[in-house]
Amino acid sequence: MVHTRMAVPVSTPFPCKVVHLTSVHPALDARILYKEGRTLAESGCRVVLIAPHDRDETVAGVRIRAVPPARTRRERMTRTVFRVYRAALEEDAALYHLHDPELIPAGLGLKLRGKKVIYDVHEDLPRQTLIKEWLPAWCRPLTAKAAGWLETVGAAFFDGIIGATPLISRRFPREKTITVRNYPLLEELVFPEAPAYQRRAPVMVYVGALSEYRGLRQMIQAVALVPDSLKARLVLAGRFSPAELEEEARRLPGWSKTEYLGWQSRTGVARLLSRSRLGLVLLHPRPNYYDSLPVKLFEYLAAGLPVVASDFPGWREIVEKNRCGFLVDPLDPRAVAQAVTRLLENPLEAEAMGRRGREAAVRYYNWEGEGKNLTAFYSSLLRR
């Protein structure tokens, strides 16, 4: 299902060289490398990704040009940004694609040199800034306004804007903005050796950043409340943010029923989902989460898993419409445990929910349509 704000022709770009820039995301980021980068490479572009990485290499048809990873946030926002910008100049491409707000000044520098520039907006930056834990509370509103101003200035000069959700896209000029949702690649979530649903262990899974506002505490507390007779286990895949949160998590009563796997490759994620019975998406009711489209929700659907998700209006339309899981108050571990218990006690019902979710992912929530939208947008920019 393709949604745009800017009308773009459905065509593929002619051969060209494009450079994706990030100082924040890892080189193997799913959206940047495996979705956008690979899609553009397959359509005929020569794609370079400049990103923090340990070596230069080519992955999925994309040439990765590595810059040294930063050791601190300050180093990332200064030295790493400069290194990314310097490498971008050396590549001398037809079009540059930025993925981080801190690279907006670099993008303006590229514009001054006559380059075409796209800004890919992954998050609602002003809203996100309001809950940045590393910022003192008193300065968050002012910083959020400054961040919004920086994006407005960039948008005025850049050639195109890509929003990851419709809400993000509405903040930018309609005539140069499209929406490219971060929907999953269906083929990477089909694991050939997946056991039949009824034979899987009673595992509830969460994949993503492990933080307070993403429901970490409630997930661990909920598994402790699931009846012992069901032998339920919570499996976590991701990194703690901040790292100190791991020590607190291990003291919660449900940790004895929790398995922590750490960061997983895309193949590892597919394998994990293929052995699980349900997926958890319990983001807290924060300003930047209400209208978000978390990729993990759609990955669970694509993997055929029923979901237990936060009861947000936008998510209600997805989950209730497709009858693929339960919506709960994410701050209530007891409500989460009740939903999990129902799914584990009724495997036939749960399997049917997962099947409907998979059908919805195949029909609506997948990268194929978004990728076509992206290549058409590139084509329109390069033909101007």
Side-chain angles (χ1 to χ4, degrees), residues 63-141:
R63 176 166 65 86
I64 298 174
R65 177 166 176 171
V67 298
R71 292 167 293 185
T72 65
R73 183 178 289 110
R74 177 177 296 180
E75 181 182 349
R76 189 198 76 204
M77 299 177 73
T78 54
R79 184 175 299 178
T80 302
V81 166
F82 175 73
R83 286 169 170 165
V84 168
Y85 176 62
R86 184 174 58 188
L89 292 177
E90 293 173 356
E91 290 294 336
D92 192 25
L95 190 150
Y96 291 85
H97 190 140
L98 315 178
H99 290 275
D100 311 312
E102 62 194 45
L103 289 175
I104 290 175
L108 294 173
L110 291 167
K111 283 299 300 176
L112 288 174
R113 293 173 177 266
K115 302 297 184 180
K116 292 181 182 291
V117 177
I118 291 174
Y119 176 40
D120 198 326
V121 195
H122 296 203
E123 305 281 353
D124 188 328
L125 182 62
R127 286 188 176 189
Q128 187 187 47
T129 302
L130 291 173
I131 63 168
K132 289 286 188 183
E133 296 179 346
W134 56 272
L135 282 173
W138 62 267
C139 76
R140 291 176 193 171

Side-chain angles (χ1 to χ4, degrees), residues 42-306:
E42 291 175 348
S43 69
C45 288
R46 289 182 294 139
V47 185
V48 180
L49 169 58
I50 302 173
H53 200 47
D54 57 358
R55 64 187 182 279
D56 294 343
E57 61 177 326
T58 298
V59 179
V62 176
R63 176 166 65 86
I64 298 174
R65 177 166 176 171
V67 298
R71 292 167 293 185
T72 65
R73 183 178 289 110
R74 177 177 296 180
E75 181 182 349
R76 189 198 76 204
M77 299 177 73
T78 54
R79 184 175 299 178
T80 302
V81 166
F82 175 73
R83 286 169 170 165
V84 168
Y85 176 62
R86 184 174 58 188
L89 292 177
E90 293 173 356
E91 290 294 336
D92 192 25
L95 190 150
Y96 291 85
H97 190 140
L98 315 178
H99 290 275
D100 311 312
E102 62 194 45
L103 289 175
I104 290 175
L108 294 173
L110 291 167
K111 283 299 300 176
L112 288 174
R113 293 173 177 266
K115 302 297 184 180
K116 292 181 182 291
V117 177
I118 291 174
Y119 176 40
D120 198 326
V121 195
H122 296 203
E123 305 281 353
D124 188 328
L125 182 62
R127 286 188 176 189
Q128 187 187 47
T129 302
L130 291 173
I131 63 168
K132 289 286 188 183
E133 296 179 346
W134 56 272
L135 282 173
W138 62 267
C139 76
R140 291 176 193 171
L142 180 61
T143 306
K145 289 183 179 180
W149 175 83
L150 179 64
E151 287 191 321
T152 299
V153 171
F157 288 93
F158 295 156
D159 300 273
I161 307 294
I162 296 175
T165 71
L167 180 68
I168 291 173
S169 295
R170 285 198 291 269
R171 295 180 42 238
F172 296 95
R174 178 182 294 273
E175 67 277 6
K176 63 170 67 174
T177 302
I178 66 166
T179 299
V180 177
R181 294 167 175 81
N182 198 23
Y183 287 157
L185 294 160
L186 293 177
E187 65 273 14
E188 78 169 2
L189 292 169
V190 176
F191 199 74
E193 302 171 6
Y197 186 86
Q198 302 291 328
R199 296 173 54 194
R200 299 180 189 180
V203 168
M204 44 197 282
V205 67
Y206 171 84
V207 177
L210 303 170
S211 69
E212 177 182 355
Y213 295 131
R214 292 174 184 264
L216 175 64
R217 183 178 291 105
Q218 287 74 25
M219 287 188 285
I220 299 174
Q221 292 172 334
V223 72
L225 298 172
V226 175
D228 291 339
S229 60
L230 293 174
K231 300 181 180 179
R233 291 193 61 77
L234 168 65
V235 176
L236 303 174
R239 293 192 176 98
F240 286 94
S241 177
E244 299 76 29
L245 188 60
E246 180 176 357
E247 183 178 346
E248 178 185 341
R250 290 180 178 275
R251 293 196 298 266
L252 293 173
W255 189 261
S256 61
K257 296 182 178 181
T258 300
E259 181 180 358
Y260 171 51
L261 300 181
W263 180 87
Q264 296 291 299
S265 66
R266 300 309 300 163
T267 301
V269 169
R271 181 184 295 108
L272 172 60
L273 297 184
S274 75
R275 287 164 166 73
S276 302
R277 295 274 286 275
L278 62 103
L280 301 174
V281 199
L282 301 175
L283 302 186
H284 285 191
R286 308 287 293 184
N288 61 321
Y289 288 156
Y290 274 123
D291 299 289
S292 66
L293 295 173
V295 66
K296 64 179 67 62
L297 171 62
F298 302 104
E299 288 181 342
Y300 297 154
L301 300 186
L305 295 183

Side-chain angles (χ1 to χ4, degrees), residues 24-40:
V24 176
H25 297 83
L28 305 184
D29 180 86
R31 176 179 174 90
I32 298 173
L33 176 65
Y34 290 105
K35 295 176 186 175
E36 294 181 337
R38 182 169 65 178
T39 296
L40 293 166

